[in-house]
Amino acid sequence: QLQTRMEILQDEFKYFYGCSVIEHLKARIKKPESIIKKMENKNYELTYRNLVEQVNDIAGLRIICPLKDDIFSVVDIIKGMPDINVLIEKDYVTNPKKSGYASYHLVVEVLVPVMKQVIPVKVELQIRTLAMDFWASLEHDLKYKSNNKISKKVSNELVKCAKMINKLDNQMITITKECK
């Protein structure tokens, strides 16, 4: 439901302005075994109540923007949607994590019709630029998808790369403004 709304937003911007604040979207639903593993890692009792109350990222939507400024435009649009309730907001764009990770996170609640009722569903949104997404995807694969522990040297190199990406994102804003 949320993915479709973002796709419509993407199309509206292209139609009305000739460009879009959204480059592309990536959606995912967490696999049941991943949910259970996460709940066990956090020492949550495996109950439906804990699943609904404690796990914020069963559904996820990554919104990839061309420019850093577009991230904040998308955040403002989402926060202005009357049927979306923002539960958690974390701005790692303005204040990147120590690791260099940069992205804007929102955990939102949307109402989803199921059978004869409407249930609130949490969705984790990650909003970032193309460059931030490239870095985050590679860093995630290196740290979490491989069985190898990365060295301090590699960690430091990743932080340096994140800083270069931030500079690149800022430079792209400058170039874009000069061309308008």
Side-chain angles (χ1 to χ4, degrees):
Q1 182 182 356
L2 199 52
Q3 180 180 0
T4 300
R5 290 179 69 183
M6 292 298 109
E7 288 168 349
I8 291 168
L9 178 68
Q10 183 180 25
D11 291 343
E12 285 176 344
F13 265 87
K14 284 181 186 169
Y15 181 77
F16 290 111
Y17 303 109
C19 63
S20 185
V21 292
I22 299 173
E23 172 66 30
H24 65 273
L25 303 160
K26 294 179 188 175
R28 66 121 180 93
I29 304 284
K30 195 179 272 284
K31 293 179 180 163
E33 53 271 16
S34 295
I35 296 168
I36 290 169
K37 183 178 178 185
K38 182 172 194 160
M39 290 178 72
E40 288 173 344
N41 288 345
K42 297 210 177 231
N43 293 318
Y44 298 142
E45 186 180 347
L46 297 178
T47 65
Y48 179 74
R49 180 183 203 101
N50 280 341
L51 171 75
V52 171
E53 291 178 1
Q54 304 295 334
V55 182
N56 293 327
D57 64 343
I58 292 171
L61 183 62
R62 189 167 298 145
I63 303 168
I64 311 302
C65 302
L67 299 171
K68 193 189 290 188
D69 289 351
D70 298 332
I71 293 170
F72 299 102
S73 298
V74 169
V75 168
D76 289 342
I77 290 166
I78 291 167
K79 288 165 82 175
M81 292 177 171
D83 56 337
I84 292 179
N85 183 24
V86 176
L87 302 173
I88 300 170
E89 183 174 1
K90 294 181 182 172
D91 179 357
Y92 299 119
V93 175
T94 306
N95 301 301
K97 288 185 174 184
K98 187 179 171 186
S99 66
Y101 177 82
S103 185
Y104 205 106
H105 288 211
L106 294 173
V107 175
V108 300
E109 188 175 67
V110 294
L111 298 176
V112 178
V114 178
M115 301 293 247
K116 294 183 180 184
Q117 60 182 331
V118 177
I119 60 167
V121 175
K122 291 184 210 172
V123 180
E124 180 188 48
L125 305 176
Q126 296 175 347
I127 309 158
R128 55 177 75 142
T129 65
L130 287 158
M132 290 173 191
D133 189 54
F134 166 70
W135 184 94
S137 296
L138 181 61
E139 191 256 4
H140 182 78
D141 285 349
L142 291 172
K143 282 190 173 178
Y144 303 106
K145 296 294 181 184
S146 73
N147 292 328
N148 302 331
K149 207 163 176 130
I150 65 168
S151 68
K152 185 93 169 143
K153 179 183 175 195
V154 170
S155 272
N156 290 338
E157 287 299 314
L158 283 168
V159 171
K160 284 182 193 174
C161 289
K163 288 178 181 177
M164 286 189 278
I165 283 173
N166 186 46
K167 278 182 154 178
L168 175 67
D169 274 335
N170 289 336
Q171 187 66 32
M172 295 308 285
I173 291 170
T174 302
I175 290 168
T176 304
K177 286 179 180 176
E178 287 179 12
C179 292
K180 288 183 179 181

